[in-house]
């Protein structure tokens, strides 16, 4: 056997092995499974893991923007006209958040922490100075007190007298800073000494700068990667007590800061939000890309805040038949000390059109008012997010308060927030590096198949060349007589001489 033949056989054997092994590994998805198992072990909430430090102190900058609705026709509205508002904002703040008092519990299977947030004003991102700019809006303390005493004629009469004496109207004009971080309200100051549950200071973000929402206990994800970051208890409770059904009171999903790796498009992501006093869910909308990182966009569908008629599962959020206001709204009075606070998406996005049409100045737009999460499906890392929510007050006629007699029931917008984050460049580079490793390892069988394909091409080339050389050798040798006539050998008979073939043209 010649060297050429040995090389041909060797190339053929190597080619066959590479193709068989590569295709076998691709079908069995061995390397993909190994890589996914590695991710499941590394993306856990334990000391020393790949994600633990960034979970405790997220590096990407978070920004909080506040938009207010300034009422321009208070007098006409109190006389029965359609309210008119003008959006003012944003007033932007850098939000610093970190996990405080982190400790492992339940033999290391869970971790407890407090989510502390603080805010620093950013003038360059804002439309004005919050300490100077005035906003005319609903007098929330007055409406909260009136709602509390509406069932008692004597209390309502007393509060009405107090309001007149203090000059407290149904609307108030305050600076942005006062509305956000607090001011002393004269009506609350009068009630506070006799009611320990009432504070004389009111602000939409009062006591929320440098504070937390209470203790969270999370699963680490070690036992099941799907439980990574899932909330087990909040403020010591595994179940809420605000609503009327177990399903509505369930604490589901994460707190919105962590999601398990290996996300699927068909899964529903749950997020527990203390601000709404409930869990909401998000569903896949589309594929996106942020800083070169592929991501799935998840958004809350209309059914999250749908009416009980449209989504029967939401009936548990109706404390009473009157508490169900319609699609797109959630009355959060049970967790706001009975105040007539209603939550929605900004400009009543995804809500019934009647709520949009009731207020002059509402213009819901998906681009500006949708809440969404862009998550890398391999790692579960948040690459971009916008949380948008609106605070409204339910205004209606209240017995004992003559000033409300001309009012129709109205869901009145006060303010909406836009909390946004985009992954920073350093974190993006780390994620891209990790994704590259995952891609290379997961696709290693393709590399083997590719090498096998190259060897197959080499084998075919060698085979063709060997065939051509063999044919040439056969064609270069032929049989011809020595002379034009056959020679006779008297002893041996006729013979034929073997001579090289001569070209006829030579």
């Amino acid at each position: 056997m010649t060297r050429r033949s040995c090389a041909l056989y060797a190339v053929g054997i190597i080619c066959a092995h590479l193709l068989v092994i590569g295709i076998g590994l691709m079908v069995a998805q061995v390397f993909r499974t190994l890589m996914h198992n590695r991710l499941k072990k590394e993306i856990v909430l334990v000391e020393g893991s790949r994600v633990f430090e960034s979970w405790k102190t997220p590096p990407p900058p978070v920004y909080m923007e506040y938009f207010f609705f300034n009422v321009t026709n208070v007098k006409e509205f109190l006389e029965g006209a359609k309210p008119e508002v003008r959006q003012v904002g944003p007033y932007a703040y850098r939000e610093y958040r970190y996990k405080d008092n982190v400790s492992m519990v339940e033999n290391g299977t869970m971790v407890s922490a407090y989510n502390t947030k603080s805010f620093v004003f950013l003038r360059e991102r804002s439309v004005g100075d919050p300490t100077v700019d005035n906003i005319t809006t609903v007098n929330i303390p007055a409406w909260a007190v009136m709602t509390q005493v509406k069932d008692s004629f004597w209390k309502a009469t007393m509060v009405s007298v107090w309001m007149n004496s203090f000059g407290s109207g149904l609307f108030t004009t305050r600076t942005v800073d006062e509305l956000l971080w607090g001011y002393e309200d004269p009506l609350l100051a009068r009630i506070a000494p006799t009611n320990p549950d009432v504070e004389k200071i009111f602000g939409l973000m009062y006591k929320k700068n440098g504070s937390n929402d209470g203790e969270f206990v999370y699963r680490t994800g070690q036992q099941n990667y799907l439980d990574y970051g899932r909330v087990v208890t909040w403020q010591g409770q595994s179940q809420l007590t605000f609503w009327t059904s177990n399903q509505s009171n369930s604490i589901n999903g994460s707190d919105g800061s962590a999601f398990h790796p290996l996300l699927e498009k068909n899964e529903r992501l749950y997020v527990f939000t203390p601000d709404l006093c409930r869990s909401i869910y998000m569903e896949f909308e589309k594929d996106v890309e942020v800083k070169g990182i592929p991501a799935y966009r998840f958004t809350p569908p209309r059914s999250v805040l749908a009416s009980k008629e449209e989504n029967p599962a939401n009936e548990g959020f109706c404390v009473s038949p009157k508490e169900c206001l319609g699609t797109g709204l959630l009355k959060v009075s049970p967790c706001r000390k009975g105040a007539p606070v209603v939550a929605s998406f900004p400009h009543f996005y995804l809500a019934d059109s009647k709520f949009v049409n009731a207020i002059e100045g509402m213009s819901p737009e998906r681009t500006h008012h949708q809440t969404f999460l862009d998550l890398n499906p391999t790692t579960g890392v948040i690459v971009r997010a916008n949380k948008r929510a609106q605070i409204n007050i339910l205004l209606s006629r209240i017995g004992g308060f003559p000033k409300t007699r001309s009012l129709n029931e109205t869901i009145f917008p006060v303010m909406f927030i836009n909390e946004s984050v985009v992954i920073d460049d350093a974190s993006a580079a780390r994620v891209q590096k990790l994704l590259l490793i995952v891609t290379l390892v997961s696709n290693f069988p393709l590399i083997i198949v590719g090498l096998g394909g190259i060897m197959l091409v080499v084998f075919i080339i060698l085979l063709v060349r060997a065939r051509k050389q063999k044919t040439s050798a056969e064609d270069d040798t032929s049989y011809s007589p020595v002379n034009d006539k056959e020679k006779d050998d008297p002893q041996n008979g006729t013979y034929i001489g073997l001579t090289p073939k001569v070209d006829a043209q030579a």
Side-chain angles (χ1 to χ4, degrees):
M1 185 180 291
T2 64
R3 288 185 179 179
R4 186 169 295 167
S5 299
C6 290
L8 189 63
Y9 283 118
V11 170
I13 292 171
I14 294 172
C15 167
H17 277 80
L18 287 174
L19 289 174
V20 171
I21 293 172
I23 293 172
L25 290 174
M26 284 179 61
V27 173
Q29 294 189 335
V30 174
F31 283 88
R32 181 183 177 88
T33 302
L34 287 173
M35 200 67 235
H36 285 183
N37 288 337
R38 182 67 181 270
L39 285 173
K40 292 174 186 178
K41 289 181 179 179
E42 289 197 4
I43 302 181
V44 291
L45 297 180
V46 296
E47 289 284 356
S49 71
R50 181 184 291 271
V51 297
F52 195 60
E53 289 303 319
S54 61
W55 174 75
K56 289 195 297 184
T57 308
V62 180
Y63 298 98
M64 179 70 87
E65 295 177 325
Y66 299 96
F67 297 82
F68 288 86
F69 295 104
N70 188 57
V71 188
T72 59
N73 66 334
V74 172
K75 181 180 178 181
E76 291 79 3
F77 171 67
L78 293 177
E79 293 174 351
K82 182 178 180 179
E84 297 177 4
V85 300
R86 181 175 61 87
Q87 178 179 301
V88 181
Y91 293 91
Y93 293 77
R94 170 71 188 273
E95 179 180 331
Y96 295 90
R97 51 168 64 191
Y98 61 92
K99 301 286 194 301
D100 198 12
N101 293 333
V102 178
S103 59
M104 306 304 296
V105 296
E106 298 294 328
N107 296 321
T109 60
M110 300 179 190
V111 56
S112 68
Y114 292 81
N115 298 325
T116 302
K117 299 178 183 180
S118 58
F119 302 88
V120 177
F121 179 65
L122 300 176
R123 182 63 183 88
E124 66 277 10
R125 286 175 168 257
S126 304
V127 297
D129 186 344
T131 62
V132 175
D133 295 354
N134 287 319
I135 301 292
T136 298
T137 187
V138 177
N139 189 346
I140 298 177
W143 282 97
V145 173
M146 288 190 297
T147 302
Q148 287 285 353
V149 302
K150 65 181 179 180
D151 295 327
S152 171
F153 173 78
W154 298 108
K155 289 183 178 179
T157 302
M158 185 181 299
V159 170
S160 181
V161 171
W162 288 345
M163 288 179 63
N164 289 330
S165 63
F166 299 145
S168 297
L170 302 181
F171 287 80
T172 185
T173 299
R174 298 281 179 176
T175 66
V176 169
D177 197 70
E178 288 177 321
L179 291 173
L180 283 177
W181 309 113
Y183 62 92
E184 182 174 324
D185 181 82
L187 183 58
L188 296 181
R190 179 65 182 83
I191 299 173
T194 60
N195 190 334
D197 294 331
V198 176
E199 294 193 54
K200 62 182 180 179
I201 305 296
F202 170 79
L204 295 167
M205 295 293 292
Y206 178 56
K207 289 187 174 181
K208 291 188 177 182
N209 195 352
S211 62
N212 59 73
D213 294 318
E215 183 190 38
F216 283 81
V217 175
Y218 309 87
R219 293 198 182 278
T220 62
Q222 283 184 298
Q223 285 72 32
N224 185 345
Y225 80 99
L226 294 174
D227 288 335
Y228 168 74
R230 180 169 294 178
V231 178
V232 181
T233 63
W234 173 60
Q235 294 184 348
Q237 296 179 318
S238 59
Q239 193 86 348
L240 302 175
T241 58
F242 305 125
W243 314 109
T244 59
S245 71
N246 289 332
Q247 181 179 355
S248 300
N249 280 318
S250 297
I251 297 177
N252 297 320
S254 73
D255 64 353
S257 65
F259 296 89
H260 68 79
L262 308 178
L263 293 165
E264 300 289 343
K265 291 182 178 180
N266 60 355
E267 68 179 296
R268 178 177 278 184
L269 299 182
Y270 283 86
V271 177
F272 171 65
T273 60
D275 293 335
L276 292 178
C277 315
R278 61 164 289 188
S279 298
I280 65 169
Y281 54 85
M282 298 188 179
E283 296 176 347
F284 173 80
E285 182 185 78
K286 62 181 179 180
D287 290 284
V288 295
E289 186 176 291
V290 181
K291 294 187 177 182
I293 301 172
Y296 293 166
R297 173 162 293 184
F298 287 86
T299 64
R302 177 182 168 94
S303 57
V304 169
L305 296 181
S307 65
K308 63 179 181 180
E309 291 78 20
E310 191 173 326
N311 182 6
N314 286 343
E315 186 172 1
F317 295 109
C318 303
V319 178
S320 68
K322 291 184 178 181
E323 305 297 311
C324 283
L325 302 173
T327 293
L329 305 179
L330 175 68
K331 191 171 183 181
V332 293
S333 299
C335 61
R336 292 292 180 266
K337 299 181 180 180
V341 180
V342 178
S344 71
F345 293 117
H347 286 252
F348 301 114
Y349 174 70
L350 295 182
D352 288 338
S353 58
K354 65 180 181 181
F355 301 117
V356 178
N357 297 332
I359 309 290
E360 190 67 38
M362 294 291 99
S363 56
E365 296 179 23
R366 181 177 187 168
T367 304
H368 300 298
H369 304 139
Q370 181 189 50
T371 291
F372 65 84
L373 282 169
D374 291 343
L375 306 173
N376 175 253
T378 303
T379 62
V381 170
I382 300 173
V383 293
R384 180 171 55 197
N386 278 84
K387 173 187 172 183
R388 292 156 171 158
Q390 182 170 297
I391 297 173
N392 312 277
I393 301 297
L394 175 60
L395 307 185
S396 61
R397 297 186 186 93
I398 299 179
F401 297 94
K403 293 180 181 180
T404 67
R405 69 164 61 98
S406 298
L407 297 181
N408 298 315
E409 183 171 282
T410 305
I411 308 299
F412 210 101
V414 175
M415 173 194 79
F416 79 83
I417 64 167
N418 177 26
E419 189 176 28
S420 61
V421 62
V422 177
I423 190 169
D424 60 290
D425 293 339
S427 298
R430 287 194 293 269
V431 172
Q432 288 172 339
K433 182 179 179 181
L434 178 60
L435 292 178
L436 178 61
I437 295 172
V438 171
T439 302
L440 289 176
V441 174
S442 299
N443 293 323
F444 187 69
L446 283 176
I447 298 175
I448 297 177
V449 172
L451 290 174
I454 294 172
M455 296 299 289
L456 178 61
V457 172
V458 172
F459 176 71
I460 292 173
I461 293 173
L462 292 176
L463 191 64
V464 170
R465 289 181 62 185
R467 182 79 65 176
K468 283 184 177 180
Q469 288 175 354
K470 184 177 180 180
T471 303
S472 298
E474 290 177 353
D475 291 344
D476 288 344
T477 305
S478 64
Y479 296 101
S480 63
V482 174
N483 297 313
D484 292 337
K485 295 181 178 179
E486 294 180 352
K487 292 185 178 180
D488 292 332
D489 189 321
Q491 296 181 349
N492 300 319
T494 304
Y495 71 93
I496 296 175
L498 184 64
T499 63
K501 182 178 180 181
V502 180
D503 193 344
Q505 296 179 353

